[in-house]
Amino acid sequence: MRCVSWLLFGTSILVLGLAVQGAPGQCPNLCHCHGDLQHVICDSVGLKKIPRVSEVTRLLNLQRNSLGSIPTGSFTDSRGLISLHMQQCQLREIGSQAFKGLKKLIYLYLSNNQIGSLKPGAFDDLTELTYLYLDGNQISDLTKGVFSPMINLFILQLDDNRLRELRPGTFTGAKDLRWLHMSGNELTTLQPGSLDEVENLAIFHLERNRLSTYPIAAMSKLRVVEELKLGKNPMKTIPDIAFQSFGRYMEKLHLDNMGLEKFSDGAFTGVTAIKTLNLDNNKLKFLPKSLNLSSIAITNLTLTNNPWGCTCQLAPLRRWMESSRNRPDAVCASPPQQKGKQVKDSTALSGCKVKSKKNKKGRPNSQQ
């Protein structure tokens, strides 16, 4: 991850009310400038237009001004910008070539506006952009290739928009994207091929969407996901080999508050690195055979508010609890005589035998 430690910077000019537009080299009217105009701070000063700042400016903070739009050419004098802050500026759309000339820009903050669309070419020239924040807007569609100029994009924040689907080509060009946040949208499907260009995602957040089926065709293209959040999607089942393509890397998996009823037996095939698994507030009775708790180093397992069936099918969980410091709260819902008891205390599980395994000569090993 690229770290650029510019403190706050400044430069140049602006039109405000009856004020006369200044010349490059001046601090814009009502703004505060620091560091020989490398930091220009115009937070909450009532601006109606984007001020012109010169090439020496590295950071421009325009937060909480009623700007409404970004006219083409707004930043033609600002070619040295590294960080641009435009949160809560009542922006409605990002037009073509809105950021023309900002070839050094690394941080772009557009959170909490009213942006409904990103026009083709909206991000032209942003070849160095690494962090893009578009959360808290009203974006319902992503044009094919809209992120293609961003060959260095590392983090993309799209939480709390109105996206309904992902289509192939959405992330063309953004091959270095590692963190993708899409929680709180209206996603019902991730089309096959929609994640092909971002196979190196490490953090993928999809909670609070409308996914009713696990998008295995799209997800199977991912290779190194370390953290996956799917909570609060209305999925009833997780299919076989759901996480296999990145199972060697996945350390955190959140499947809480989904109404999840079951896992296919092979759902966790290939999952070997998981440390955190959140299954709270579902309708699960059993865990799948492929979740081999005894062979993974899981340290944070949460199971509350599920109707666990305390029969021998749940015995591997009980044995793991007995050998682990992590003894999550899990209450039996059945059979009737075990209802209300903690899984770790259920007498119905204490006498379950481990299935014998055959050794290489075909002879059964002694039971444990």
Side-chain angles (χ1 to χ4, degrees):
M1 185 182 301
R2 192 173 300 169
C3 288
V4 178
S5 58
W6 306 95
L7 285 165
L8 293 170
F9 327 5
T11 275
S12 199
I13 55 186
L14 156 120
V15 177
L16 177 65
L18 299 176
V20 177
Q21 180 169 310
Q26 292 181 328
C27 187
N29 191 27
L30 298 182
C31 300
H32 301 282
C33 298
H34 310 279
D36 295 329
L37 300 177
Q38 289 192 34
H39 311 193
V40 176
I41 312 301
C42 310
D43 191 336
S44 306
V45 295
L47 299 182
K48 301 297 181 183
K49 295 182 180 179
I50 296 173
R52 290 172 55 208
V53 296
S54 76
E55 288 192 23
V56 302
T57 301
R58 297 295 179 263
L59 183 146
L60 176 58
N61 185 344
L62 300 173
Q63 292 183 74
R64 291 178 281 270
N65 289 287
S66 300
L67 300 177
S69 64
I70 305 175
T72 301
S74 294
F75 301 105
T76 52
D77 296 319
S78 315
R79 297 177 185 273
L81 276 181
I82 299 294
S83 186
L84 177 58
H85 298 248
M86 300 188 74
Q87 304 97 312
Q88 300 182 56
C89 286
Q90 299 182 31
L91 299 174
R92 292 179 291 276
E93 74 170 21
I94 304 298
S96 180
Q97 300 189 331
F99 304 102
K100 186 174 177 59
L102 297 184
K103 295 183 179 181
K104 296 181 179 180
L105 196 69
I106 291 174
Y107 301 90
L108 178 55
Y109 300 88
L110 296 168
S111 307
N112 301 313
N113 281 288
Q114 301 161 19
I115 299 167
S117 64
L118 304 172
K119 299 298 183 183
F123 300 117
D124 281 1
D125 280 359
L126 299 186
T127 53
E128 291 298 316
L129 198 75
T130 307
Y131 308 96
L132 175 58
Y133 294 82
L134 284 162
D135 49 302
N137 281 286
Q138 301 172 19
I139 301 167
S140 59
D141 185 58
L142 296 173
T143 305
K144 183 177 181 179
V146 68
F147 303 113
S148 59
M150 303 180 193
I151 57 175
N152 289 296
L153 190 62
F154 192 94
I155 294 178
L156 176 57
Q157 280 273 7
L158 284 165
D159 291 344
D160 300 307
N161 277 279
R162 298 180 179 176
L163 295 168
R164 294 184 291 271
E165 66 175 353
L166 283 185
R167 299 188 299 272
T170 297
F171 300 110
T172 296
K175 61 182 177 59
D176 285 339
L177 190 66
R178 295 282 282 165
W179 293 18
L180 178 55
H181 297 257
M182 304 191 74
S183 301
N185 279 277
E186 300 172 11
L187 291 168
T188 58
T189 183
L190 310 184
Q191 290 187 12
S194 59
L195 300 173
D196 284 10
E197 293 90 351
V198 288
E199 64 176 17
N200 292 318
L201 283 182
I203 307 293
F204 194 15
H205 291 184
L206 283 166
E207 66 265 68
R208 295 183 292 113
N209 277 285
R210 300 180 182 178
L211 296 167
S212 58
T213 57
Y214 183 80
I216 190 166
M219 297 293 289
S220 64
K221 299 299 181 180
L222 302 179
R223 297 288 176 261
V224 291
V225 175
E226 298 170 11
E227 178 176 297
L228 176 61
K229 291 189 175 182
L230 285 167
K232 297 185 179 178
N233 279 282
M235 291 184 200
K236 291 186 177 180
T237 62
I238 301 293
D240 286 334
I241 62 172
F243 318 112
Q244 185 176 38
S245 64
F246 47 87
R248 291 182 301 148
Y249 298 91
M250 186 172 63
E251 295 186 355
K252 298 179 181 180
L253 177 61
H254 295 263
L255 299 171
D256 54 295
N257 297 281
M258 299 172 67
L260 192 60
E261 296 177 0
K262 65 173 290 188
F263 294 96
S264 294
D265 275 347
F268 284 85
T269 298
V271 175
T272 58
I274 196 162
K275 295 178 180 178
T276 296
L277 177 59
N278 184 352
L279 298 175
D280 289 343
N281 303 310
N282 283 298
K283 298 179 180 179
L284 295 167
K285 294 181 179 180
F286 308 106
L287 294 175
K289 295 176 181 178
S290 55
L291 181 59
N292 190 348
L293 294 170
S294 63
S295 66
I296 54 179
I298 194 163
T299 55
N300 185 17
L301 176 63
T302 59
L303 304 167
T304 57
N305 197 23
N306 281 280
W308 297 110
C310 288
T311 66
C312 287
Q313 195 169 343
L314 210 62
L317 173 62
R318 165 66 178 270
R319 283 192 295 273
W320 175 80
M321 286 182 175
E322 290 173 345
S323 63
S324 172
R325 292 181 180 180
N326 182 354
R327 297 190 178 184
D329 180 50
V331 178
C332 302
S334 62
Q337 61 271 28
Q338 299 298 314
K339 186 175 182 179
K341 293 183 179 180
Q342 287 285 336
V343 170
K344 65 179 182 290
D345 300 325
S346 173
T347 55
L349 300 175
S350 58
C352 295
K353 295 181 179 180
V354 182
K355 288 184 178 180
S356 62
K357 297 180 180 179
K358 292 185 177 181
N359 60 24
K360 291 183 179 180
K361 295 181 179 181
R363 297 174 183 172
N365 292 319
S366 59
Q367 292 192 356
Q368 300 173 359

